[in-house]
């Protein structure tokens, strides 16, 4: 270890200014000195903080595309089969409240940045689901309500910190509740339809990582309990995705149930005629 430290320190002590400033901004001056300059990997607190920051940045980066496959599946299929509107409505509401709460409390961006990115993708998915369900007017109403929510939640003169705390507690409940309609939809349809496996499994990994980063960087039980509950239901969704992996979609099931209707063969004329008075209703008199 001493030999490795001796070899690396000339490099770590001469990093470019922007790289050094970025490192200090992420893990702080003391941990930067311990981990980068002194290369002291026995400093467990700084190591945990560095891992937390790396996970946070990774989650934020992955969240920028986490629901893009879901959007692509909806657009390609022109169908919202298997995707619960209620689930996305609840989740979007929860994300918006959480975003406002984190911004107003000035928490590190690495601990909540994915909230803003996923929120934007959720809005697109919700609008697509409504449009493909023949409810374009409801989609317009949804966007208008969302804009009003943004204005209200981020305005400190309208909502004080205490009220935001209550809303954040409610957002945790909404976030958990948002998974229930999706789980129920999969169960009732016997398949995952147009639900994206990429999004489901990334959500599972992200929620687990967020438990760790919240424990390390954010002393807020409301946020922590929300992530723990969310992880539990994300685990159920992932299990459903595995269980119904090869199940046919509702559209395919409908086609399978349709039996081909064959026309009855036309009667052929043999040339023989029915004798008069000998029809099927004619009685023979004795």
């Amino acid at each position: 270890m001493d030999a490795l430290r001796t070899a690396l320190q000339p490099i770590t002590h001469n990093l470019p200014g922007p790289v050094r400033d970025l490192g200090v901004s992420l893990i702080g001056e003391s941990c930067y000195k311990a981990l980068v300059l002194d290369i002291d990997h026995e400093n467990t607190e700084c190591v945990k903080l560095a891992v937390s920051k790396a996970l946070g940045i990774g989650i934020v980066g992955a969240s920028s595309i986490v629901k893009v496959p879901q959007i692509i599946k909806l657009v390609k299929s022109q169908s919202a089969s298997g995707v619960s509107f209620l689930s996305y409505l609840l989740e979007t509401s929860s994300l918006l409240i959480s975003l406002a709460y984190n911004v107003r409390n000035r928490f590190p961006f690495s601990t909540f940045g994915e909230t803003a990115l996923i929120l934007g993708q959720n809005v697109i998915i919700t609008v697509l689901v409504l449009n493909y369900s023949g409810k374009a007017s409801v989609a317009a109403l949804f966007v208008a309500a969302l804009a009003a929510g943004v204005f209200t939640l981020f305005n400190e003169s309208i909502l004080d910190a205490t009220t935001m705390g209550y809303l954040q507690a409610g957002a945790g409940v909404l976030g958990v509740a948002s998974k229930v309609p999706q789980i129920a939809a999969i169960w009732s349809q016997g398949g995952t339809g147009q639900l994206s496996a990429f999004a489901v499994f990334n959500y599972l990994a992200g929620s687990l990582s967020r438990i760790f980063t919240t424990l390390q960087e954010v002393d807020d039980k409301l946020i922590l309990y929300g992530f723990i509950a969310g992880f539990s239901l994300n685990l159920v969704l992932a299990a459903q995705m595995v269980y119904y992996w090869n199940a046919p979609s509702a559209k395919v099931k409908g086609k399978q149930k349709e039996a081909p209707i064959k026309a009855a063969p036309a009667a052929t004329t043999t040339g023989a005629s029915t004798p008069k008075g000998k029809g099927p209703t004619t009685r023979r008199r004795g």
Side-chain angles (χ1 to χ4, degrees):
M1 185 63 190
D2 290 338
L4 181 62
R5 183 181 294 112
T6 303
L8 291 177
Q9 279 184 328
I11 299 173
T12 59
H13 279 260
N14 293 283
L15 291 172
V19 175
R20 180 189 179 282
D21 293 342
L22 178 61
V24 171
S25 68
L26 288 174
I27 60 177
E29 189 75 46
S30 61
C31 282
Y32 181 85
K33 181 180 182 302
L35 297 180
V36 180
L37 299 181
D38 298 338
I39 312 182
D40 178 15
H41 295 144
E42 294 181 0
N43 190 325
T44 55
E45 289 304 316
C46 286
V47 169
K48 287 181 181 179
L49 178 59
V51 171
S52 176
K53 290 294 185 182
L55 281 173
I57 293 171
I59 294 170
V60 172
S63 67
S64 63
I65 61 167
V66 67
K67 294 201 173 183
V68 171
Q70 181 67 80
I71 295 171
I72 293 173
K73 286 191 75 172
L74 287 169
V75 172
K76 280 187 175 181
S77 66
Q78 301 285 297
S79 167
S81 171
V83 182
S84 168
F85 162 70
L86 179 58
S87 178
Y88 272 93
L89 176 63
L90 293 174
E91 185 183 45
T92 302
S93 302
S94 172
L95 288 172
L96 179 58
I97 294 170
S98 293
L99 179 62
Y101 181 79
N102 279 276
V103 169
R104 289 177 55 167
N105 280 280
R106 295 174 175 81
F107 290 138
F109 183 75
S110 61
T111 64
F112 71 89
E114 78 279 4
T115 304
L117 298 172
I118 295 175
L119 175 62
Q121 294 169 74
N122 264 20
V123 172
I124 295 173
I125 292 171
T126 306
V127 170
L128 288 174
V129 168
L130 288 170
N131 277 328
Y132 294 145
S133 301
K135 300 175 181 177
S137 58
V138 179
L141 183 62
F142 165 75
V143 173
L146 185 69
V150 170
F151 177 77
T152 303
L153 291 169
F154 283 86
N155 195 326
E156 296 184 15
S157 62
I158 298 177
L159 292 175
D160 58 19
T162 303
T163 305
M164 277 303 303
Y166 291 134
L167 288 175
Q168 176 58 32
V173 176
L174 283 177
V176 173
S178 70
K179 307 298 178 185
V180 176
Q182 185 63 73
I183 292 171
I186 293 173
W187 179 266
S188 64
Q189 295 181 19
T192 55
Q194 300 306 317
L195 191 64
S196 167
F198 179 82
V200 169
F201 289 114
N202 271 273
Y203 248 49
L204 179 65
S207 58
L208 178 60
S209 300
R210 271 294 170 233
I211 294 174
F212 177 77
T213 61
T214 302
L215 284 170
Q216 293 301 312
E217 302 183 59
V218 179
D219 185 18
D220 193 310
K221 300 301 183 185
L222 288 175
I223 295 178
L224 176 62
Y225 294 153
F227 281 130
I228 292 174
F231 170 76
S232 301
L233 291 182
N234 282 332
L235 189 60
V236 175
L237 275 173
Q240 285 184 312
M241 184 63 70
V242 172
Y243 183 77
Y244 292 113
W245 190 264
N246 293 317
S249 65
K251 187 176 181 180
V252 173
K253 285 181 181 178
K255 288 183 177 180
Q256 290 175 347
K257 289 181 180 179
E258 290 177 2
I261 301 173
K262 294 182 179 180
T268 54
T269 305
T270 60
S273 59
T274 303
K276 293 181 180 180
K278 296 292 184 180
T281 58
T282 306
R283 286 187 176 182
R284 184 175 297 180
R285 298 176 184 272

